[in-house]
Amino acid sequence: MKNLYFISFSVVFLLGGCMTMNGDNQLQNNNETKIEEGHDRYADVTDYTGEGYGLPGGETTHKIANEKFAEIEKAVSAFFREEYKTDVIVHNAVGNADGATVFVQSVSKPHFHTYAIIGIDVEKGDVLADNIWTETNQVEQAIFSGLLVMMMEEEFTILDTFISEIAASYPVVGLREEVINNVRATAYTTPYYFVQPLALRDEMEQITELYFANPDISADQLRQHFDRENYEAEKLIISISFFMEENEPAPSLFHDIVASFEDIEGVPRANYTLSLHDNKINKQSASGDQENSLEKSDIIK
C-alpha cells in the first residue's frame, strides 16, 4: 500500500504539482483509514468465535433476533423436531433481509450443523414463530452427511487420524468449535473439514427417507442400503482447511501436507479439496480464503 501511494503521489507531482499539502494529508489519512478497516475486517483464527458475522439487510432484524432469541430457540427447536425428526441445539440467530438465519446443531447422531430461516415483523418487532422455512435440500444434505459418517465410521476415523497427525506435526490450527456452532451451516463439520454430499441425490433421498421413518436407525441397518464401494466418489465433496498458527501460508509446508494426503489410504472415497490459509479469518463471512491462500482441488480418493 505504501508503494502504491508513493507511485500515485509521484505521478501527480510530475503532471503538474497541483496537489496541495492539505490534499496530501487527506490522501494519506484516507489510505490509513482503508488499511485500518482492512485490519478490522479480520481476526486471528485462534481468537475468532463468530463475532462480527453479518448477512445483507440484517441490521434491524438482527437486533430483534437478539432480543427475542428465547422465542426463536423454542420455535426452531420445535420446527426441527416436527419436520426433520431431529432434536437440535439452537446456537445463534443472525438477522437477514427476511428475518433471521438460525444456526443449529444436532443433539446426537447423525451429527451435523445447518440452519433455518425465521420470519420477523420489523414494524411490530415480533418473531413469526409460524413462519419458519429451510432452503431446498439444505437440511436433508446435512442429515445425510452425518449418516454417511455413521455408515463409514472406519474411513472417517482414518481421515480424522491423518488430520490430527498433521496438526501435531506442523504449525497449523483449525476453527474454534464456537465458530462452527455460531456461524457455520456446513453439514457434518469439524474444525478442519466439512462434508458436502448434495450431488449424491439418489443415495441422499433413499437414506434420509429411512432416517425419517426411523430416527433411531442404526449404522448397520443403514449400511444394508448403501454401497460404500460403488457410489460416485466425485460427487461426495470433502473440503479440508488448515490455518497457519502464525505468518503466511508456506508453499513447502502445503506441498508436504498434500503429498502426505495423496499417499494415505482408507479415507472416505470422495473428491477432496485441501486449503492452507494464514492465521486470519474474515469476521463478517467466517472465511479464511484470501489472496495468499493455497489450494489443491479435485483430489479423488
Side-chain angles (χ1 to χ4, degrees):
M1 180 63 74
K2 289 181 179 178
N3 290 337
L4 179 59
Y5 170 75
F6 177 77
I7 292 169
S8 300
F9 176 82
S10 300
V11 170
V12 172
F13 179 81
L14 291 172
L15 287 175
C18 58
M19 180 179 287
T20 66
M21 184 62 71
N22 286 338
D24 293 347
N25 292 336
Q26 184 63 47
L27 180 57
Q28 184 175 355
N29 290 337
N30 288 343
N31 284 339
E32 289 174 353
T33 299
K34 288 178 181 178
I35 292 171
E36 254 181 49
E37 289 174 351
H39 287 311
D40 288 344
R41 193 180 304 138
Y42 293 92
D44 289 347
V45 68
T46 51
D47 297 330
Y48 181 67
T49 60
E51 68 281 359
Y53 183 88
L55 295 170
E59 293 80 5
T60 302
T61 52
H62 188 67
K63 295 178 182 178
I64 299 171
N66 279 341
E67 294 170 358
K68 301 294 180 71
F69 183 76
E71 293 180 34
I72 291 174
E73 183 178 24
K74 180 179 179 181
V76 171
S77 295
F79 172 80
F80 272 89
R81 195 174 300 115
E82 180 178 348
E83 295 293 326
Y84 297 104
K85 316 301 180 190
T86 303
D87 288 324
V88 298
I89 301 168
V90 178
H91 286 292
N92 192 22
V94 179
N96 62 47
D98 298 311
T101 298
V102 185
F103 294 88
V104 306
Q105 172 191 9
S106 60
V107 170
S108 57
K109 292 184 178 180
H111 292 299
F112 62 87
H113 286 77
T114 190
Y115 69 92
I117 302 169
I118 188 168
I120 291 178
D121 186 328
V122 174
E123 292 186 3
K124 295 182 179 180
D126 291 337
V127 169
L128 305 178
D130 59 348
N131 186 20
I132 302 175
W133 69 97
T134 58
E135 301 288 346
T136 302
N137 286 327
Q138 172 73 22
V139 178
E140 288 83 354
Q141 175 187 214
I143 292 172
F144 182 45
S145 71
L147 295 172
L148 282 173
V149 176
M150 288 172 57
M151 292 187 289
M152 294 192 284
E153 181 179 8
E154 182 178 338
E155 292 91 332
F156 275 96
T157 296
I158 293 173
L159 177 60
D160 291 335
T161 299
F162 164 78
I163 289 174
S164 296
E165 291 174 349
I166 293 295
S169 302
Y170 297 96
V172 297
V173 296
L175 296 174
R176 290 178 57 153
E177 195 67 35
E178 297 96 326
V179 180
I180 300 170
N181 291 338
N182 290 332
V183 296
R184 284 295 179 102
T186 42
Y188 182 85
T189 307
T190 77
Y192 291 95
Y193 70 87
F194 61 90
V195 180
Q196 292 180 302
L198 185 59
L200 292 171
R201 293 187 181 277
D202 292 340
E203 293 89 343
M204 183 175 70
E205 182 177 347
Q206 180 184 20
I207 296 300
T208 53
E209 282 185 1
L210 290 169
Y211 172 77
F212 293 142
N214 177 19
D216 295 321
I217 191 168
S218 69
D220 286 337
Q221 290 173 309
L222 289 168
R223 290 189 190 102
Q224 298 173 18
H225 302 273
F226 183 77
D227 190 343
R228 292 183 289 173
E229 302 300 325
N230 291 312
Y231 66 87
E232 296 181 66
E234 296 82 357
K235 293 185 176 181
L236 176 58
I237 309 298
I238 299 180
S239 299
I240 304 173
S241 293
F242 298 97
F243 291 80
M244 298 293 294
E245 282 185 337
E246 298 177 351
N247 304 321
E248 298 287 309
S252 59
L253 187 156
F254 185 58
H255 176 271
D256 290 346
I257 293 175
V258 172
S260 297
F261 182 74
E262 289 178 334
D263 287 341
I264 195 171
E265 296 180 357
V267 295
R269 297 174 53 251
N271 185 344
Y272 289 85
T273 295
L274 268 64
S275 301
L276 179 63
H277 311 295
D278 64 19
N279 65 332
K280 298 296 183 181
I281 188 168
N282 188 308
K283 291 189 286 188
Q284 188 167 13
S285 64
S287 171
D289 291 329
Q290 297 187 65
E291 289 184 2
N292 62 358
S293 295
L294 304 175
E295 180 177 295
K296 172 73 173 178
S297 57
D298 294 326
I299 304 174
I300 309 297
K301 285 287 191 177

